[in-house]
């Protein structure tokens, strides 16, 4: 059975029908379902994908962007880390398609393009269905990212979210619709999908501060 992020009906169905009906569950958001499924399904075990090898990533780029001649010697260390993850590899491919070049070493332009593209897509296709508050998501993403960078952590707990939002649970639920956040598989903490996204939002917060204040 294949579960999508908001597939609540089928998730409930899996739990009710229990173990013998299904042998394998596939989902890119297993962390969202793990609390409901683990313990409800007998012998339920979670497996994750291995990292992509650099040569495999390069071959994938060549297949998807055949007009771009990728030079393996120009792949920086920071870029090679991105190529090992399927989500960030997709982001790199989108950048190459748009700019017809490899991302710069500091990757600022890469994340700037990706985040703006995601927010634009959310504003068009999700705003009315999920009632997404984009202003709230952007503001608190920057605040949380800066707090995490200053305290040298990569996660924020549900308890700290409650404190940050001053127990406004409606705003907390709105913020959790954030496309850049992921729930930890085993703990009540949230983290940005990639460390570079946290760094991006933190730097945006600083850049937007009033220099006179």
């Amino acid at each position: 059975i294949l579960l999508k992020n908001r597939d609540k009906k089928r998730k409930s169905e899996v739990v009710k029908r229990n173990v013998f009906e299904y042998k394998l569950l596939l989902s890119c958001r297993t962390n969202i379902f793990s609390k409901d499924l683990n313990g409800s399904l007998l012998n339920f075990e979670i497996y994750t994908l291995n990292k992509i090898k650099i040569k495999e990533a390069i071959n994938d780029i060549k297949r998807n962007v055949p007009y771009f001649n990728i030079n393996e010697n120009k792949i920086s260390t920071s870029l090679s880390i991105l190529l090992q993850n399927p989500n960030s590899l997709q982001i790199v491919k989108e950048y190459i398609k748009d700019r017809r070049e490899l991302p710069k070493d500091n990757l600022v332009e890469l994340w700037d393009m990706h985040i703006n593209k995601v927010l634009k897509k959310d504003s068009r296709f999700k705003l009315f269905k999920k009632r997404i508050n984009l202003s709230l998501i952007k503001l608190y993403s920057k605040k949380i990212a800066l707090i995490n960078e200053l305290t040298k952590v990569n996660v924020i707990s549900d308890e700290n979210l409650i404190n940050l939002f001053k127990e406004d649970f409606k705003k907390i639920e709105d913020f959790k619709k954030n496309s850049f956040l992921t729930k930890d598989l085993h703990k009540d903490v949230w983290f940005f999908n990639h460390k570079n996204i946290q760094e991006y939002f933190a730097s945006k917060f600083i850049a937007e501060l009033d220099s006179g204040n």
Side-chain angles (χ1 to χ4, degrees):
I1 182 170
L2 177 65
L3 285 182
K4 293 180 289 185
N5 190 16
R6 296 180 299 279
D7 206 345
K8 294 180 181 178
K9 185 177 179 181
R10 296 190 75 199
K11 178 180 71 174
S12 175
E13 177 189 338
V14 173
V15 173
K16 286 178 181 177
R17 298 175 91 170
N18 216 320
V19 291
F20 302 109
E21 195 84 18
Y22 303 107
K23 298 297 181 185
L24 182 66
L25 182 147
L26 294 176
S27 175
C28 62
R29 303 290 285 179
T30 308
N31 55 317
I32 300 296
F33 306 119
S34 60
K35 275 192 171 181
D36 300 297
L37 300 178
N38 205 1
S40 300
L41 299 181
L42 184 64
N43 298 324
F44 181 70
E45 296 182 52
I46 298 172
Y47 297 87
T48 55
L49 294 174
N50 291 326
K51 291 181 179 179
I52 300 171
K53 295 177 181 178
I54 298 300
K55 283 191 175 181
E56 293 173 339
I58 291 172
N59 288 335
D60 186 51
I61 292 172
K62 289 179 178 178
R63 282 194 301 270
N64 287 272
V65 198
Y67 52 82
F68 180 73
N69 185 21
I70 185 168
N71 187 339
E72 298 180 31
N73 297 323
K74 290 188 176 181
I75 295 177
S76 63
T77 303
S78 55
L79 181 57
S80 67
I81 293 172
L82 295 184
L83 297 181
Q84 296 175 60
N85 178 282
N87 291 328
S88 50
L89 172 58
Q90 183 62 34
I91 294 169
V92 172
K93 287 190 291 187
E94 289 174 1
Y95 182 94
I96 292 173
K97 287 178 182 178
D98 188 71
R99 305 289 177 87
R100 294 178 179 262
E101 64 178 4
L102 287 174
K104 304 292 189 298
D105 286 350
N106 60 15
L107 305 178
V108 172
E109 290 184 10
L110 172 75
W111 292 111
D112 196 46
M113 189 189 82
H114 170 66
I115 287 168
N116 287 329
K117 186 177 288 187
V118 171
L119 290 174
K120 189 175 181 180
K121 181 180 177 182
D122 282 355
S123 67
R124 285 181 177 177
F125 302 111
K126 294 182 181 179
L127 189 59
F128 297 106
K129 289 184 179 180
K130 294 177 65 177
R131 300 181 182 277
I132 286 181
N133 187 335
L134 289 177
S135 298
L136 179 141
I137 285 174
K138 285 190 283 188
L139 175 61
Y140 281 91
S141 289
K142 288 183 282 191
K143 286 186 176 184
I144 289 170
L146 184 63
I147 291 169
N148 283 0
E149 286 293 300
L150 291 174
T151 54
K152 298 181 180 180
V153 297
N154 294 326
V155 300
I156 185 166
S157 65
D158 279 331
E159 182 181 355
N160 284 336
L161 279 177
I162 292 170
N163 291 332
L164 181 64
F165 284 94
K166 299 179 180 178
E167 299 187 12
D168 189 331
F169 293 98
K170 173 65 170 60
K171 284 186 177 180
I172 293 172
E173 290 307 308
D174 284 345
F175 180 72
K176 286 180 178 179
K177 295 173 184 176
N178 191 336
S179 296
F180 306 113
L181 278 184
T182 297
K183 177 79 165 57
D184 188 277
L185 196 61
H186 305 292
K187 301 175 185 177
D188 290 327
V189 297
W190 298 78
F191 57 91
F192 289 100
N193 297 339
H194 198 280
K195 182 68 168 66
N196 287 114
I197 293 180
Q198 177 172 301
E199 292 169 351
Y200 170 87
F201 277 121
S203 64
K204 289 289 285 185
F205 187 96
I206 294 170
E208 292 169 4
L209 288 175
D210 184 350
S211 59
N213 185 357

